């Protein structure tokens, strides 16, 4: 008889209870917003109003241009370093590089403004396929396998692979001397295929070019094989390294567009033809010290070069110049706005994702405890499958996988969904443990007083459970805050990505790393303190402990 009284319609329970919880928190949030609006009213707080409005727009809007403004967007990875596209050491908010100059020149010829879109290098083609940008200009080698999935323009640069070793190592003078040695290279590059084809070399692949040369410098590698253009900009500033051996292979860089964009490809090829014929492409390459005999042969332009590589020498001066302590501190100060912008993105993504995780987690916990058997099994399967697979793979599936079945999300929405859905599984277990820790006698007492089960859950069980799970939920939020660094793989530039880009400019991973770590600490600290206050306010044991402490102090 008692079991029959405990049965309620499942759907009405879930919908009704979730609606009540959401309505309650929405009411509280709305009241706080109204208070905040009144507090910010007036001319003295215009700046703060603008900051809050900008933060909201940054989270809710994509990075696309306003409707009606046509731009030619191109994808690249600024973390890859010089000379492709990288942050200007003198003005870190500005992206420079020879490919930036080429993209700008193409835009001028076509009469269309160009827009750079940041994306991780190994995700550039998937990002192009899902429509994040119109073309890829990022040292992309023209290879048969890539030509099967994208369309390539005519080459805009021709080069070769170059071996680099430590300056005091005289045992390696070519690839033939690298048997049983450990060599580093870029992931997915032609150099990696060349090394793996030899079979007697241990190959380590890297996402970025700078880390490989750092490991060579620190003795973790015996050599690095990368494009000559990369070796030129990473070996020349370091007297501890040297280039050795003859040129290896031949490779061509091309601009990639989606299959089906033949009109765009024709326009790009036409623009390249014009800047080649006018000599602008050569002037760009000479400015960055990239005009080689291979380029002269391919472009049929064998005139001797007399131009000084201004951009190249400016880069060397920044890399090799001695920096005083005061100058270094001033440089760090210029990085704070960029890191702060990344920290704002991190905080926004974390707050929205945790909100989704909290409500969905509560719904899953109630479903697993009180739903009918099939729905309980489905909720349990969801929780276990989400907890049993890496967050990175889930982000890839949401951002790159779903477009294949016609479902597309902007990067911010995909990031919030990925983080929120992942952490909802963990929050579901927190809430389930909290609800089950409440003595069953309280539910029985509530039913004996005439409450329905929904009323008992709403007024008796769930409020107590929510108080008990404050500590683990706080821990999960801090963990989510740090896991948000993974969203850089779906074109989001958050705090960790901003740190990587800045550190790659000066090889300064220690100082900038400490600065980024301090920002993570400052972001998380207020929430930890708020959680401590909430524990003392809402958890009974903490209330008794606080009251006892006050009594002892009074005595």
């Amino acid at each position: 008889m008692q079991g029959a009284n405990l049965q309620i319609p499942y759907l009405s329970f879930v919908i009704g209870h979730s609606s009540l919880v959401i309505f309650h928190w929405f009411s509280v949030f709305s009241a706080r917003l109204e208070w905040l609006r009144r507090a910010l009213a007036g001319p003295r707080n215009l700046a703060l109003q603008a900051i809050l409005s900008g933060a909201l727009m940054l989270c809710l809007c994509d990075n696309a241009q306003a409707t009606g403004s046509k731009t030619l967007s191109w994808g690249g990875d600024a973390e890859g370093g010089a000379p492709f596209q990288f942050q200007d050491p003198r003005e870190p908010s500005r992206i420079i590089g020879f490919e930036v100059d080429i993209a700008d020149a193409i835009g001028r010829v076509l009469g269309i403004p160009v827009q750079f879109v940041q994306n991780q290098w190994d995700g550039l083609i998937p990002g192009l396929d899902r429509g994040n940008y119109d073309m890829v200009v990022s040292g992309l080698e023209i290879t048969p396998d890539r030509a099967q999935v994208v369309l390539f323009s005519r080459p805009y640069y021709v080069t070769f692979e170059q071996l680099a070793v430590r300056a005091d190592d005289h045992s390696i003078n070519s690839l033939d001397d690298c048997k049983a040695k450990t060599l580093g290279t870029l992931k997915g590059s032609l150099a990696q295929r060349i090394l793996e084809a030899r079979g007697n070399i241990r190959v380590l692949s890297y996402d970025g070019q700078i880390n490989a040369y750092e490991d060579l410098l620190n003795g973790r590698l015996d050599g690095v094989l990368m494009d000559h253009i990369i070796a030129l900009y990473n070996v020349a500033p370091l007297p501890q390294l040297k280039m050795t051996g003859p040129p290896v292979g031949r490779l061509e860089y091309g601009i990639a567009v989606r299959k089906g964009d033949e009109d765009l490809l024709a326009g790009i090829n036409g623009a390249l033809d014009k800047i080649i014929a006018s000599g602008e492409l050569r002037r760009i390459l000479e400015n960055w010290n990239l005009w080689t005999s291979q380029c002269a042969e391919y472009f049929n332009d064998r005139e001797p070069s007399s131009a000084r590589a201004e951009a190249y020498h400016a880069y060397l001066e920044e890399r090799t110049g001695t920096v005083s302590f005061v100058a270094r501190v001033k440089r760090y100060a210029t990085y704070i706005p960029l890191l702060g912008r990344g920290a704002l993105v991190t905080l926004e993504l974390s707050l929205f994702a945790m909100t989704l995780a909290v409500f969905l987690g509560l719904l899953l916990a109630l479903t697993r405890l009180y739903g009918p058997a099939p729905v309980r099994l489905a909720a349990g399967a969801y929780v276990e499958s989400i907890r049993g697979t890496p967050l990175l793979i889930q982000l890839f599936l949401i951002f790159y996988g779903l477009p294949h079945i016609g479902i597309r999300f902007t990067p911010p929405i995909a990031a919030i969904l990925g983080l929120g859905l992942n952490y909802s599984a963990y929050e579901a277990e927190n809430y389930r443990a909290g609800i089950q820790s409440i003595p069953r006698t309280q539910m029985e007492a509530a039913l004996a007083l005439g409450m329905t089960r929904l009323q008992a859950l709403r007024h008796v069980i769930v409020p107590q459970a929510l108080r008990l799970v404050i500590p683990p939920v706080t821990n999960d939020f801090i963990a989510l805050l740090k896991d948000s660094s993974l969203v850089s793989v779906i074109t989001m530039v958050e705090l960790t990505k901003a740190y990587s880009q800045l550190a790659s400019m000066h090889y300064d991973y220690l100082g900038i790393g400490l600065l980024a770590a301090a920002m993570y600490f400052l972001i998380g600290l207020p929430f930890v303190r708020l959680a401590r206050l909430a524990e003392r306010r809402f958890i009974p044991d903490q209330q008794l402990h606080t009251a006892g402490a006050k009594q002892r102090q009074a005595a």
Side-chain angles (χ1 to χ4, degrees), residues 304-543:
S305 176
S306 59
R308 186 175 187 270
E310 296 290 345
Y312 174 70
H313 290 292
Y315 172 80
L316 289 184
E317 289 174 5
E318 285 291 331
R319 281 287 308 272
T320 59
T322 303
V323 181
S324 65
F325 176 77
V326 175
R328 189 178 296 273
V329 171
K330 290 181 178 179
R331 177 189 293 173
Y332 289 157
T334 64
Y335 294 162
I336 290 177
L338 292 175
L339 291 173
R341 193 180 308 160
L344 180 62
V345 173
T346 294
L347 181 59
E348 290 171 340
L349 291 177
S350 301
L351 288 173
F352 279 94
M354 196 63 189
T355 301
L356 174 62
V358 164
F359 287 117
L360 184 56
L362 179 59
L363 182 62
L364 287 168
L366 295 173
T367 299
R368 294 193 69 182
L369 290 173
Y370 303 109
V375 183
R376 286 202 308 269
L377 291 175
Y382 170 85
V383 170
E384 298 305 326
S385 62
I386 291 295
R387 294 199 304 171
T389 54
L391 173 58
L392 187 61
I393 290 181
Q394 295 167 16
L395 287 170
F396 276 127
L397 288 175
I398 292 173
F399 194 67
Y400 295 117
L402 292 182
H404 290 284
I405 58 175
I407 303 175
R408 297 178 183 273
F409 297 111
T410 61
I413 297 301
I416 291 170
L417 282 176
L419 293 169
L421 294 177
N422 179 273
Y423 272 81
S424 68
Y426 298 94
E427 298 316 300
E429 292 302 281
N430 287 337
Y431 289 128
R432 187 166 67 92
I435 292 173
Q436 289 181 326
S437 67
I438 306 300
R440 296 182 61 183
T441 52
Q442 295 201 25
M443 172 65 78
E444 295 171 356
L447 295 175
L449 292 173
M451 290 185 179
T452 64
R453 188 165 191 169
L454 177 60
Q455 291 173 333
L457 285 169
R458 178 189 172 192
H459 297 290
V460 179
I461 306 300
V462 171
Q464 295 182 78
L466 291 177
R467 296 169 184 169
L468 294 176
V469 300
I470 289 175
V473 169
T474 304
N475 291 336
D476 284 344
F477 177 75
I478 301 302
L480 187 150
L481 198 68
K482 293 178 287 187
D483 281 347
S484 65
S485 61
L486 294 175
V487 303
S488 62
V489 301
I490 58 173
T491 77
M492 294 295 296
V493 180
E494 38 64 61
L495 181 53
T496 298
K497 188 65 174 179
Y499 153 65
S500 300
Q501 291 177 348
L502 292 172
S504 66
M505 289 194 303
H506 299 284
Y507 281 49
D508 186 1
Y509 287 90
L510 178 60
I512 303 175
L514 292 175
L515 193 60
M519 284 198 169
Y520 271 113
F521 176 76
L522 292 176
I523 291 173
L525 183 61
F527 294 97
V528 173
R529 302 301 299 171
L530 287 173
R532 295 289 184 270
L533 292 174
E535 288 178 31
R536 288 196 292 267
R537 173 68 178 81
F538 296 115
I539 299 179
D541 291 344
Q542 292 289 334
Q543 292 176 351

Side-chain angles (χ1 to χ4, degrees), residues 110-362:
L110 297 178
I112 304 174
V114 296
Q115 178 187 14
F116 172 73
V117 179
Q118 166 64 34
N119 197 11
Q120 193 161 301
W121 194 84
D122 56 3
L124 284 171
I125 290 182
L128 176 68
D129 184 56
R130 77 181 302 278
N132 291 347
Y133 29 80
D134 301 313
M135 61 182 185
V136 174
V137 191
S138 190
L140 204 60
E141 303 153 356
I142 301 176
T143 59
D145 55 340
R146 287 178 181 151
Q148 293 179 0
V149 295
V150 297
L151 298 176
F152 276 107
S153 70
R154 65 167 300 178
Y156 62 85
Y157 191 68
V158 181
T159 186
F160 54 88
E161 305 293 355
Q162 179 64 58
L163 180 63
V165 297
R166 285 183 292 278
D168 58 357
D169 187 352
H170 304 289
S171 64
I172 299 178
N173 298 299
S174 69
L175 283 182
D176 294 331
D177 300 326
C178 296
K179 185 177 180 180
K181 301 287 187 179
T182 302
L183 266 64
T185 189
L186 275 178
K187 182 187 300 181
S189 64
L190 177 62
Q192 182 180 5
R193 301 178 191 184
I194 292 174
L195 293 177
E196 291 176 345
R198 288 186 166 254
N200 56 4
I201 299 175
R202 182 170 178 258
V203 182
L204 297 181
S205 61
Y206 291 79
D207 291 324
Q209 62 197 43
I210 293 176
N211 301 110
Y213 289 101
E214 279 281 333
D215 281 353
L216 175 62
L217 192 65
N218 294 326
R220 300 188 184 102
L221 297 174
D222 299 306
V224 172
L225 183 68
M226 289 192 190
D227 305 354
H228 173 262
I229 182 176
I230 300 175
L232 178 66
Y233 272 75
N234 286 275
V235 174
L238 300 173
Q240 305 94 323
L241 303 180
K242 67 178 180 179
M243 290 184 280
T244 186
V248 179
R250 181 180 185 275
L251 54 100
E252 301 172 342
Y253 294 162
I255 298 174
V257 301
R258 285 182 293 274
K259 282 188 175 293
D261 284 350
E262 284 80 6
D263 292 340
L264 175 60
L265 182 64
I268 292 172
N269 281 328
L272 285 173
D273 290 339
K274 289 183 179 180
I275 65 175
I276 291 171
S278 67
E280 183 175 3
L281 179 61
R282 174 169 178 167
R283 289 192 294 272
I284 291 173
L285 296 177
E286 285 180 333
N287 186 42
W288 293 93
N289 197 28
L290 301 177
W291 185 258
T292 62
S293 58
Q294 288 84 356
C295 290
E297 179 181 355
Y298 177 79
F299 295 117
N300 194 25
D301 185 357
R302 295 178 177 84
E303 291 293 325
S305 176
S306 59
R308 186 175 187 270
E310 296 290 345
Y312 174 70
H313 290 292
Y315 172 80
L316 289 184
E317 289 174 5
E318 285 291 331
R319 281 287 308 272
T320 59
T322 303
V323 181
S324 65
F325 176 77
V326 175
R328 189 178 296 273
V329 171
K330 290 181 178 179
R331 177 189 293 173
Y332 289 157
T334 64
Y335 294 162
I336 290 177
L338 292 175
L339 291 173
R341 193 180 308 160
L344 180 62
V345 173
T346 294
L347 181 59
E348 290 171 340
L349 291 177
S350 301
L351 288 173
F352 279 94
M354 196 63 189
T355 301
L356 174 62
V358 164
F359 287 117
L360 184 56
L362 179 59

Side-chain angles (χ1 to χ4, degrees), residues 40 45-59 344 348:
L40 292 178
N45 296 298
L46 289 177
L48 186 54
Q49 294 176 38
I51 292 173
L52 293 175
S53 300
L56 183 60
M57 293 303 296
L58 177 64
C59 186
L344 180 62
E348 290 171 340

